[in-house]
C-alpha cells in the first residue's frame, strides 16, 4: 500500500492572501443568516438581548475580517485618523461584506464624537420577517458588531448602536480619547 506525503508546506498555506474575491449567493446568505437569527432568538427572552447576541456574533466576525482586509486592501498599514478609518469601513469593509459601498457617512452636528453610517436597504434586514411583537428588532445589530470590532481592534474604541432612521443607521460614538488623539494628530 502506497502512502502519499506532501513535501514542504501544505497547499492551504501556499495560497496567497490576495486571492480573487468570491461572491456568495444572496439566497445562501439569507438562509444562513436567518438560521443565525433563529439560533440566537431561541436563547434569549427580549429583543434587546437578541440584538446584543447578534452584535456579539458580529464582533467575532469583525475581528477576523479586519486582519484580512488590512492585508489585502492596505498592504498591512493601519489607519491613524478617525475619518480615514470611517472611509475604510464605508468603502472597503462594506464592499467586502455586501458588494457595494455604504450609502452615507455623516457626522453629528452637535457632537464631534458621533458619526453615522446610513444604509437605505440593509441586506441583513431584507430577508428577515419580524413578528409584530418584535417590531423594534433590527438585525443590523450583527453589522454593528462587525463595525465595533473593526474600530476597537484598529485602536479606535467606540460603541456602535443600530437605529431605524432613513433606513438602517449605525451610530458610532467614539471614546473621548480617540477624538483627543485625532485632534492632536491634526495639530502636527
Amino acid at each position: 500500500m502506497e502512502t502519499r506525503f506532501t513535501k514542504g508546506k501544505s497547499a492551504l498555506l501556499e495560497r496567497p492572501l490576495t486571492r480573487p474575491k468570491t461572491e456568495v449567493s444572496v439566497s445562501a446568505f439569507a438562509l444562513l443568516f436567518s438560521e443565525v437569527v433563529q439560533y440566537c432568538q431561541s436563547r434569549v427572552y427580549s429583543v434587546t438581548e437578541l440584538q446584543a447576541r447578534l452584535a456579539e456574533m458580529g464582533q467575532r466576525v469583525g475581528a477576523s475580517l479586519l486582519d484580512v482586509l488590512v492585508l489585502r486592501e492596505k498592504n498591512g498599514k493601519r489607519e491613524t485618523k478617525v475619518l480615514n478609518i470611517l472611509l475604510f469601513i464605508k468603502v472597503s469593509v462594506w464592499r467586502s461584506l455586501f458588494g457595494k459601498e455604504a450609502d452615507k457617512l455623516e457626522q453629528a452636528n452637535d457632537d464631534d464624537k458621533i458619526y453615522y453610517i446610513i444604509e437605505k436597504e440593509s441586506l441583513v434586514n431584507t430577508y428577515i420577517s419580524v413578528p409584530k411583537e418584535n417590531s423594534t428588532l433590527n438585525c443590523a445589530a450583527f453589522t454593528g458588531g462587525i463595525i465595533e470590532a473593526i474600530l476597537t481592534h484598529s485602536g479606535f474604541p467606540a460603541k456602535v448602536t443600530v437605529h431605524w432612521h432613513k433606513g438602517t443607521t449605525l451610530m458610532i460614538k467614539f471614546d473621548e480619547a480617540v477624538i483627543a488623539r485625532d485632534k492632536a494628530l491634526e495639530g502636527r
Side-chain angles (χ1 to χ4, degrees), residues 47 129-137:
V47 172
S129 57
V130 179
K132 288 186 182 197
E133 65 270 8
N134 295 341
S135 64
T136 60
L137 173 64

Side-chain angles (χ1 to χ4, degrees), residues 5-135:
F5 294 99
T6 58
K7 293 183 181 179
K9 299 176 185 171
S10 73
L12 180 65
L13 296 176
E14 293 292 322
R15 292 185 192 159
L17 283 173
T18 58
R19 69 178 193 267
K21 294 181 175 74
T22 57
E23 291 185 13
V24 176
S25 74
V26 174
S27 59
F29 170 78
L31 175 66
L32 180 62
F33 190 69
S34 70
E35 289 297 320
V36 166
V37 172
Q38 288 176 25
Y39 172 82
C40 292
Q41 192 173 17
S42 68
R43 286 160 175 72
V44 297
Y45 299 104
S46 71
V47 172
T48 307
E49 289 176 11
L50 176 57
Q51 288 185 171
R53 181 70 67 103
L54 287 171
E56 181 183 314
M57 292 181 100
Q59 287 177 355
R60 293 184 203 150
V61 172
S64 301
L65 181 64
L66 174 65
D67 292 332
V68 172
L69 288 178
V70 165
L71 282 172
R72 282 187 188 161
E73 308 278 331
K74 302 292 229 170
N75 294 325
K77 295 179 183 171
R78 300 234 177 175
E79 296 295 347
T80 57
K81 294 193 172 194
V82 171
L83 189 57
N84 291 344
I85 191 71
L86 289 171
L87 289 172
F88 172 71
I89 290 169
K90 179 187 182 287
V91 177
S92 299
V93 172
W94 231 261
R95 192 173 286 141
S96 72
L97 288 173
F98 306 116
K100 65 180 187 78
E101 289 185 22
D103 294 330
K104 285 185 184 177
L105 172 63
E106 297 178 356
Q107 183 176 12
N109 294 330
D110 56 343
D111 193 348
D112 62 347
K113 296 181 296 192
I114 297 177
Y115 289 82
Y116 303 102
I117 294 178
I118 300 169
E119 186 72 10
K120 289 182 179 123
E121 294 181 22
S122 177
L123 183 65
V124 293
N125 287 324
T126 303
Y127 300 100
I128 303 295
S129 57
V130 179
K132 288 186 182 197
E133 65 270 8
N134 295 341
S135 64

